[in-house]
């Protein structure tokens, strides 16, 4: 079996920090968590090819039982018969980190493991800062589509306010950690421990931390420790060991009970689940887990899910838990990814600024005859769900960005978009020269009723050449379509994507984008 080839930090100090966090104590300064942990230096590659830890040389587990939810790729819709496109916001990034793990270990990437919106939303974009207390800014750009000359590319961008650490509420966090036998590998529980040790370095003295573990049964390891008890928290994490079967539903129930016991009104109340998702005792099916978690979220406790490991990863279950538990889902394939999720993106991962966020785009048939939403296949909603506050949307955290791409078919395009022949409806010309309107509904983190925002988009959004943000997002979309063997990839090739990336200014200043170029080039070499 082909040996693993893992990416390791070019800046090894970050790895050493993650591994050695136990003795450093808590952060009582109240400053921004990322302030004392610098991002990779400008111009440096985040990762360099290197040998894996000794354990990794064993390769994949003998039995490969990873599970992914089936995704039916979005197709084109005729504006004349389907003028509304509705979906829930999604800030999950698990798909990108997971497929990176697969590519670097020489695995084939299952099509259903590729969620293009999560690939796009993994990266930073230079979107405007929200103004006048708005929950997020909204920007739009319409540019030529690089893989289809008959369509245009619409890029929608939402940007939440950056976290104000001085004003952030207290946190009540429950670490829910899978310590079953399947978590024994080097890329599971040992990496889980590094991740949580890293997070404890940035607790504030009045934060409340509990730890629940589950294997054959659940156990409360810590009950309501405060952030100034960092050594106690870190010692409890260091002492964790794997063994037994996986009664995850019991652990979920106990974790939510602890979160409710220590609930902080107006605070950040959250369960952070770390697992490979391989539940095999008690409630185990995806449907049963969804019903369990939907009942628990009514308590006002949010959920963050972190996936770990190789071979038996149950991506479908972890994504379902996050989607239905008012939460987010990340995959942790390295100490660096743990740092990105829990330190660099701590505000977005742990502090919700808007929940049940839904987008609805209405297209003007006088200007456009067709459209295709790229990605978000498992976040689609019926048009009627948009105004229904009982229907779930997505959660956006402090500093988070949401990007959505559409292929647009102009009214004068030679491309045909099949639509139904309607007897009673006609597309009346309203006289508007707007291309589309973006409507957004959202709730406050502790709210029950949604607010509505509307943003018309017209000719002013069209540009002759894409901005760097739009061009980069288009490259990521092409990469995802090629991995999925999409019917809509058009002229896209890995070599072409690499060429487009290399033409973008300042790519070397963003180490994550530079790493993405490395992955694209590796695939281009394979042909």
């Amino acid at each position: 079996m082909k040996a693993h080839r893992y990416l390791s930090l070019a800046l090894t100090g970050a790895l050493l920090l993650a591994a050695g966090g136990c003795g450093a104590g808590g952060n009582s300064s109240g400053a921004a968590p990322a302030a004392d942990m610098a991002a990779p230096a400008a111009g440096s590659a985040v990762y360099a090819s290197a040998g894996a830890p000794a354990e990794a040389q064993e390769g994949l587990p003998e039995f490969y039982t990873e599970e992914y939810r089936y995704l039916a790729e979005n197709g084109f819709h005729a504006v004349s018969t389907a003028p509304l496109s509705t979906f829930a916001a999604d800030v999950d990034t698990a798909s990108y980190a997971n497929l990176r793990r697969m590519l670097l270990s020489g695995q084939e990437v299952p099509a259903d493991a590729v969620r293009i919106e999560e690939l796009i939303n993994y990266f930073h974009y230079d979107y405007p800062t929200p103004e006048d207390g708005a929950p997020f800014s909204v920007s739009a750009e319409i540019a030529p589509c690089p893989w289809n000359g008959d369509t245009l590319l619409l890029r929608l961008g939402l940007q939440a306010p950056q976290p104000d650490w001085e004003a952030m509420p207290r946190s009540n966090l429950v670490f829910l950690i899978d310590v079953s036998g399947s978590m024994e590998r080097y890329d599971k529980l040992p990496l889980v421990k590094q991740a949580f040790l890293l997070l404890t370095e940035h607790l504030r003295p009045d934060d409340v931390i509990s730890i629940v573990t589950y294997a054959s049964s659940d156990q409360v390891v810590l009950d309501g420790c405060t952030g100034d008890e960092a050594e106690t928290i870190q010692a409890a994490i260091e002492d964790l060991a794997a063994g037994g079967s996986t009664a995850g539903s019991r652990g979920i129930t106990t974790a939510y009970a602890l979160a409710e016991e220590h609930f902080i009104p107006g605070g950040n109340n959250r369960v952070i689940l770390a697992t490979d998702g391989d539940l095999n005792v008690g409630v185990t099916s995806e449907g049963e887990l969804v019903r369990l978690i939907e009942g628990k979220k009514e308590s006002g406790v949010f959920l963050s899910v972190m996936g770990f490991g190789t071979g038996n990863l149950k991506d479908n279950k972890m994504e379902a838990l996050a989607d239905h538990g008012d939460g987010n889902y990340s995959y942790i394939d390295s100490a660096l990814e743990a740092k990105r999720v829990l330190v660099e993106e701590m505000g977005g991962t742990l502090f919700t600024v808007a929940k049940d966020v839904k987008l609805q785009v209405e297209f003007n048939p006088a200007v456009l005859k067709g459209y295709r939403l790229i990605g978000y296949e498992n976040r689609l909603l019926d048009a009627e769900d948009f105004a229904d506050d009982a229907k779930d949307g997505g959660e956006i955290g402090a500093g988070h960005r949401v990007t959505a791409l559409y292929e647009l078919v102009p009214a004068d395009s030679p491309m045909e978009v099949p639509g139904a022949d309607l007897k009673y409806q006609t597309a009346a010309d309203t006289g508007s020269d707007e291309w589309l309107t973006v409507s957004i509904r959202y709730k406050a983190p502790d709210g029950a009723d949604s607010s509505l925002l509307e943003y018309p988009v017209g000719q002013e959004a069209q540009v002759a050449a894409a901005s760097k943000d739009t061009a980069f997002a288009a490259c990521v979309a092409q990469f995802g379509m090629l991995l999925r063997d999409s019917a809509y990839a058009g002229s896209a090739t890995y070599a072409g994507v690499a060429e487009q990336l290399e033409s973008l200014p300042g790519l070397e200043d963003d180490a994550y984008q530079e790493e993405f170029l490395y992955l694209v080039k590796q695939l281009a070499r394979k042909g």
Side-chain angles (χ1 to χ4, degrees), residues 231-256:
E231 290 187 5
T232 300
I233 298 169
Q234 291 167 341
I237 294 169
E238 290 278 20
D239 287 343
L240 298 177
S245 53
T246 316
S249 59
R250 296 181 193 172
I252 291 170
T253 300
T254 301
Y256 272 86

Side-chain angles (χ1 to χ4, degrees), residues 389-404:
D389 284 349
K391 297 292 185 179
D392 259 353
E395 281 57 56
I396 296 180
H400 260 155
R401 303 150 304 282
V402 178
T403 300

Side-chain angles (χ1 to χ4, degrees), residues 39-106:
S44 68
V46 181
Y47 293 110
S49 295
E55 300 94 322
Q57 303 304 328
E58 300 169 2
L60 292 173
E62 183 177 356
F63 299 103
Y64 185 87
T65 60
E66 295 189 8
E67 294 179 6
Y68 299 92
R69 187 186 308 173
Y70 171 72
L71 295 178
E73 187 174 26
N74 292 331
F76 281 95
H77 295 277
V79 175
S80 60
T81 55
L84 296 175
S85 172
T86 310
F87 63 98
D90 189 358
V91 294
D92 295 347
T93 60
S95 181
Y96 179 78
N98 188 31
L99 71 84
R100 175 179 62 197
R101 178 262 302 181
M102 295 180 192
L103 291 173
L104 293 167
S105 62

Side-chain angles (χ1 to χ4, degrees), residues 312-359:
N312 65 333
L313 185 74
K314 301 300 183 280
D315 175 87
N316 57 332
K317 292 179 182 178
M318 290 185 287
E319 186 192 19
L321 287 171
D323 286 351
H324 292 272
D326 281 350
N328 45 62
Y329 170 36
S330 305
Y331 177 80
I332 308 299
D333 62 338
S334 66
L336 177 65
E337 185 66 11
K339 172 179 175 287
R340 191 191 74 84
V341 170
L342 294 175
V343 179
E344 293 175 11
E345 299 277 344
M346 184 179 184
T349 302
L350 300 184
F351 294 90
T352 299
V353 297
K355 70 177 183 180
D356 286 337
V357 181
K358 307 172 193 174
L359 291 86

Side-chain angles (χ1 to χ4, degrees), residues 49 183 193 201 212 235 261 284 434 520:
S49 295
M183 291 290 290
K193 292 160 71 170
E201 289 293 321
V212 176
E261 178 183 340
T284 60
E434 295 172 356
V520 174

Side-chain angles (χ1 to χ4, degrees), residues 255-279:
Y256 272 86
L258 273 180
E260 293 171 29
E261 178 183 340
H262 299 290
F263 192 88
I264 301 173
N268 172 38
N269 300 281
R270 183 173 298 268
V271 172
I272 306 176
L273 169 61
T275 179
D276 58 14
D278 194 6
L279 291 79

Side-chain angles (χ1 to χ4, degrees), residues 59-381:
L60 292 173
E62 183 177 356
F63 299 103
Y64 185 87
T65 60
E66 295 189 8
E67 294 179 6
Y68 299 92
R69 187 186 308 173
Y70 171 72
L71 295 178
E73 187 174 26
N74 292 331
F76 281 95
H77 295 277
V79 175
S80 60
T81 55
L84 296 175
S85 172
T86 310
F87 63 98
D90 189 358
V91 294
D92 295 347
T93 60
S95 181
Y96 179 78
N98 188 31
L99 71 84
R100 175 179 62 197
R101 178 262 302 181
M102 295 180 192
L103 291 173
L104 293 167
S105 62
Q107 289 179 246
E108 292 294 322
V109 177
D112 294 325
V114 182
R115 296 185 288 273
I116 295 178
E117 74 279 6
E118 295 186 22
L119 275 56
I120 294 170
N121 285 322
Y122 184 90
F123 298 96
H124 286 255
Y125 301 94
D126 189 21
Y127 295 156
T129 301
E131 297 179 352
D132 302 325
F136 27 73
S137 67
V138 179
S139 59
E141 182 174 290
I142 301 171
C145 180
W147 63 87
N148 186 343
D150 293 332
T151 63
L152 298 172
L153 189 66
L154 167 66
R155 189 266 300 153
L156 299 176
L158 277 66
Q159 174 68 60
Q162 294 300 325
D164 178 359
W165 296 108
E166 296 296 331
M168 280 295 180
R170 293 173 58 207
S171 289
N172 163 36
L173 304 177
V174 180
F175 301 166
L176 175 55
I177 303 175
D178 181 352
V179 294
S180 63
S182 68
M183 291 290 290
E184 193 170 12
R185 278 174 55 95
Y186 75 96
D187 56 351
K188 295 187 180 182
L189 186 58
L191 189 54
V192 170
K193 292 160 71 170
Q194 288 186 27
F196 280 114
L197 287 170
L198 190 59
L199 178 57
T200 61
E201 289 293 321
H202 303 284
L203 297 174
R204 294 166 295 182
D206 56 352
D207 290 335
V208 178
I209 303 298
S210 303
I211 299 177
V212 176
T213 62
Y214 65 90
S216 301
S217 62
D218 58 289
Q219 178 182 354
V220 177
V221 178
L222 286 181
D223 186 349
C225 285
T226 54
D228 55 5
E229 300 176 84
E231 290 187 5
T232 300
I233 298 169
Q234 291 167 341
I237 294 169
E238 290 278 20
D239 287 343
L240 298 177
S245 53
T246 316
S249 59
R250 296 181 193 172
I252 291 170
T253 300
T254 301
Y256 272 86
L258 273 180
E260 293 171 29
E261 178 183 340
H262 299 290
F263 192 88
I264 301 173
N268 172 38
N269 300 281
R270 183 173 298 268
V271 172
I272 306 176
L273 169 61
T275 179
D276 58 14
D278 194 6
L279 291 79
N280 52 36
V281 174
V283 175
T284 60
S285 75
E286 182 180 331
E288 290 175 310
L289 289 167
V290 165
R291 283 186 281 274
L292 172 65
I293 211 70
E294 282 186 335
K296 297 299 181 184
K297 74 175 181 181
E298 300 304 323
S299 64
V301 176
F302 291 86
L303 176 71
S304 291
V305 178
M306 298 192 299
F308 292 81
T310 298
N312 65 333
L313 185 74
K314 301 300 183 280
D315 175 87
N316 57 332
K317 292 179 182 178
M318 290 185 287
E319 186 192 19
L321 287 171
D323 286 351
H324 292 272
D326 281 350
N328 45 62
Y329 170 36
S330 305
Y331 177 80
I332 308 299
D333 62 338
S334 66
L336 177 65
E337 185 66 11
K339 172 179 175 287
R340 191 191 74 84
V341 170
L342 294 175
V343 179
E344 293 175 11
E345 299 277 344
M346 184 179 184
T349 302
L350 300 184
F351 294 90
T352 299
V353 297
K355 70 177 183 180
D356 286 337
V357 181
K358 307 172 193 174
L359 291 86
Q360 186 170 78
V361 183
E362 181 179 3
F363 298 95
N364 183 356
V367 181
L368 300 167
K369 65 179 177 182
Y371 64 89
R372 184 176 84 88
L373 175 61
I374 301 173
Y376 291 93
E377 283 86 0
N378 58 4
R379 307 293 279 172
L380 298 178
L381 298 171

